[in-house]
Amino acid sequence: MSNSPIPGAQVVSRIAGLLRLVGRSPDGMQLSALVNESGLTRPTVHRLLSSLASEGLLDHDPASGHWVLGPEIFLMGSVASARFPLEELARPSLRRLAEATGESAFFSIRRGAETVCLMREEGSFPVRSFVLHEGVRFPLGVASAGTAILAFLPEPEQEELLHDWAAHAGAFAAGHPEELVRANLKRTRLNGYAVNPGLVLEGSWGMGAAVFDQSGRPAWALSLTGIEPRFKPERQAELGNLLMTEAHRITQQLGTEGKGGRAR
């Protein structure tokens, strides 16, 4: 069987990478930031961005100088949403979590070795953490959503990421030493929910619970974020049970019966 690269695969990979970078924030990104983040040369990035804009996949905002997602992306997303009715399944759970806790509630999806935040619902508590918002990506095992998902993956898949943890975690490795991550994964499997004690940003805590697909694999996660005083040990069990209840609700709606880590 030939191992020769597929013609054009490198271009596709570069385009996909730029779209992901631009899609991190509704405000998009400047050309210089895209060059730095992508590792590509400035002429290459500008050429690809211009091509994507000509197809309606990106727009260039002359006021801010940022490149932002274009109308074709919106249309594709609308079509895809019919196949993945996550908004109608997750939004009610996010609202219940935000109303019951006062914290900000989030729904994230696993994409390969990362989690991507898809949607949020703000709580009533006036002081918030702004670490997480739509489009933000974290390596699996970083932040509460990624910890909740990684904890319930099969052990060989966990070890594949943990084996070279520093490379996988990247810029988050310093704040997430491997031994601490392993301990957190073990605690998550025991409790059924994950707790991130300000490892991404000091003082900003999070908790998460995995949502499982029809084959019983963790594919999404619900999470809550807020300031440290709102996540004291005596409140964690209450928040964890609320998260697991809603995660179990979505899992059932997706047609899965339930495995370890779901609401009991």
Side-chain angles (χ1 to χ4, degrees):
M1 185 175 180
S2 173
N3 290 322
S4 59
I6 300 173
Q10 185 183 55
V11 174
V12 172
S13 177
R14 289 176 172 179
I15 288 173
L18 289 174
L19 287 173
R20 291 190 188 101
L21 288 172
V22 172
R24 282 181 178 177
S25 167
D27 296 328
M29 292 182 72
Q30 290 185 330
L31 175 61
S32 58
L34 288 167
V35 171
N36 291 335
E37 291 272 357
S38 68
L40 301 174
T41 65
R42 189 181 184 93
T44 296
V45 171
H46 188 268
R47 184 173 65 254
L48 292 174
L49 294 175
S50 298
S51 296
L52 288 167
S54 69
E55 297 293 335
L57 295 168
L58 290 181
D59 273 337
H60 184 250
D61 183 349
S64 66
H66 288 196
W67 289 88
V68 296
L69 295 180
E72 284 296 329
I73 293 290
F74 172 77
L75 294 174
M76 290 178 184
S78 299
V79 174
S81 66
R83 183 180 172 216
F84 302 103
L86 296 176
E87 173 77 25
E88 63 185 64
L89 293 180
R91 185 63 68 183
S93 288
L94 291 179
R95 287 175 179 154
R96 282 189 290 267
L97 285 168
E99 290 172 4
T101 67
E103 314 303 336
S104 299
F106 302 87
F107 186 69
S108 299
I109 187 172
R110 178 192 176 187
R111 291 291 294 152
E114 296 180 312
T115 57
V116 185
C117 179
L118 294 182
M119 58 188 88
R120 65 176 167 177
E121 193 75 27
E122 299 292 0
S124 60
F125 191 72
V127 182
R128 296 169 183 163
S129 166
F130 295 97
V131 170
L132 195 57
H133 55 78
E134 293 93 331
V136 169
R137 295 170 179 263
F138 286 118
L140 282 180
V142 172
S144 57
T147 300
I149 290 174
L150 182 60
F152 293 103
L153 285 176
E155 187 174 348
E157 293 184 41
Q158 291 184 36
E159 289 301 323
E160 186 176 347
L161 295 177
L162 292 168
H163 175 70
D164 194 6
W165 173 253
H168 167 68
F172 299 100
H176 294 73
E178 182 183 338
E179 61 274 15
L180 182 60
V181 171
R182 286 184 178 274
N184 209 2
L185 291 172
K186 182 178 180 180
R187 193 178 305 114
T188 300
R189 289 190 293 272
L190 180 64
N191 294 333
Y193 56 84
V195 179
N196 185 343
L199 299 180
V200 176
L201 179 67
E202 185 177 359
S204 177
W205 282 47
M207 294 181 62
V211 174
F212 296 76
D213 64 19
Q214 294 180 353
S215 65
R217 291 174 58 84
W220 305 272
L222 290 169
S223 60
L224 295 166
T225 68
I227 58 174
E228 181 177 358
R230 302 280 291 174
F231 289 80
K232 294 294 187 183
E234 58 270 20
R235 194 181 184 221
Q236 287 178 16
E238 174 194 351
L239 296 177
N241 283 327
L242 288 170
L243 280 164
M244 288 193 295
T245 296
E246 294 300 337
H248 180 60
R249 190 194 305 270
I250 298 174
T251 294
Q252 285 189 315
Q253 290 174 325
L254 288 166
T256 307
E257 191 44 51
K259 289 189 176 182
R262 308 180 194 178
R264 295 180 287 276

